[in-house]
Amino acid sequence: AQSVTQLDSQVPVFEEAPVELRCNYSSSVSVYLFWYVQYPNQGLQLLLKYLSGSTLVKGINGFEAEFNKSQTSFHLRKPSVHISDTAEYFCAVTRNSGNTPLVFGKGTRLSVIA
Amino acid sequence: DSGVTQTPKHLITATGQRVTLRCSPRSGDLSVYWYQQSLDQGLQFLIQYYNGEERAKGNILERFSAQQFPDLHSELNLSSLELGDSALYFCASSPREGNTEAFFGQGTRLTVV
């Protein structure tokens, strides 16, 4: 089975500063990896995903993530955050063969401070 | 707007009651997934349907059941409700059986009092 650990439950950061949200996964098989964002009172929106190919994945809103197989990590980064990036961010994993549901981490609350 | 519609948005009901949550997937999507989001458990997968058939089951209680209809909309039925069932229930849809393109609805917030 797959599992995801998001190492920080809350990350405060000043506006225009860089940010990294950490995600580690556990799996005995190859995986697909995802980052979703949840704004207050809204559903989850896909930020980016890694399926195969280049380990650096670019997503929406200026976010990117790097898949590191040896460290079983998929950290999310943004070079300069905005107030509007304040939200909950979820890392998710699923095995890349067959049909298995997404397994989510507990989430990281990003608070951008003006 | 993800294209996935969930109704109702909010639901308040008493313990012991039964409720039905409805999900309309994006046009053309054959897979529907149900998730429960609570403060203590996070996002937990409940069940998946693909083109009317159950495909995968997660941590879904026996008091809960779901189905997907011929028009591909899905309903999640929660019965004998307990206070601990209070949560956000999300539906997601994808074109195929796999999860590589899952789009989430805005959720139904269930409060059991």
Side-chain angles (χ1 to χ4, degrees), chain A residues 32 34 36 38 41-46 49 51 88 90 94 98-106, chain B residues 33 35 37 40-43 45 48 55-56 88 90 97-106 109:
Chain A
Y32 295 146
F34 305 80
Y36 282 84
Q38 184 179 27
N41 301 314
Q42 293 193 27
L44 281 78
Q45 180 183 6
L46 181 65
K49 60 186 176 185
L51 303 182
E88 190 91 18
F90 293 92
T94 186
N99 172 42
T100 56
L102 290 170
V103 174
F104 286 87
K106 295 271 190 193
Chain B
Y33 311 83
Y35 284 84
Q37 185 181 36
D40 53 344
Q41 297 292 324
L43 268 160
F45 168 70
Q48 179 206 358
R55 274 291 190 261
L88 253 178
F90 284 109
E97 284 193 67
N99 288 280
T100 58
E101 292 183 86
F103 294 85
F104 282 75
Q106 295 208 353
R109 182 171 293 282

Side-chain angles (χ1 to χ4, degrees), chain A residues 21-85:
Chain A
L21 305 184
R22 298 181 293 167
C23 171
N24 284 92
Y25 69 92
S26 173
S27 177
S28 58
V29 298
S30 296
V31 296
Y32 295 146
L33 292 154
F34 305 80
W35 275 99
Y36 282 84
V37 60
Q38 184 179 27
Y39 298 104
N41 301 314
Q42 293 193 27
L44 281 78
Q45 180 183 6
L46 181 65
L47 271 180
L48 48 79
K49 60 186 176 185
Y50 171 78
L51 303 182
S52 64
S54 172
T55 57
L56 183 61
V57 180
K58 293 192 184 298
I60 62 171
N61 301 341
F63 284 93
E64 64 180 33
E66 185 151 22
F67 170 56
N68 188 319
K69 190 174 181 180
S70 62
Q71 297 190 8
T72 60
S73 68
F74 191 55
H75 301 332
L76 181 70
R77 301 185 184 100
K78 186 169 183 177
S80 175
V81 295
H82 304 289
I83 295 288
S84 59
D85 293 322

Side-chain angles (χ1 to χ4, degrees), chain B residues 82-101:
Chain B
E82 302 174 359
L83 295 178
D85 297 326
S86 296
L88 253 178
Y89 291 84
F90 284 109
C91 167
S93 74
S94 66
R96 295 167 290 278
E97 284 193 67
N99 288 280
T100 58
E101 292 183 86

Side-chain angles (χ1 to χ4, degrees), chain A residues 101, chain B residues 45-49 54-61 64:
Chain B
F45 168 70
L46 295 177
I47 197 164
Q48 179 206 358
Y49 280 84
E54 183 184 303
R55 274 291 190 261
K57 221 168 188 176
N59 299 323
I60 188 166
L61 299 171
F64 297 0

Side-chain angles (χ1 to χ4, degrees), chain A residues 7-28:
Chain A
L7 297 155
D8 306 295
S9 59
Q10 296 187 59
V11 173
V13 62
F14 286 104
E15 195 174 17
E16 297 183 8
V19 70
E20 178 179 82
L21 305 184
R22 298 181 293 167
C23 171
N24 284 92
Y25 69 92
S26 173
S27 177
S28 58

Side-chain angles (χ1 to χ4, degrees), chain B residues 11-17 36-41 61 63-64 78-89 109-113:
Chain B
L11 198 48
I12 301 175
T13 190
T15 54
Q17 294 298 305
Q36 180 193 59
Q37 185 181 36
S38 61
L39 282 174
D40 53 344
Q41 297 292 324
L61 299 171
R63 301 183 284 110
F64 297 0
L78 315 177
S79 62
S80 303
L81 285 167
E82 302 174 359
L83 295 178
D85 297 326
S86 296
L88 253 178
Y89 291 84
R109 182 171 293 282
L110 173 67
T111 303
V112 182
V113 297

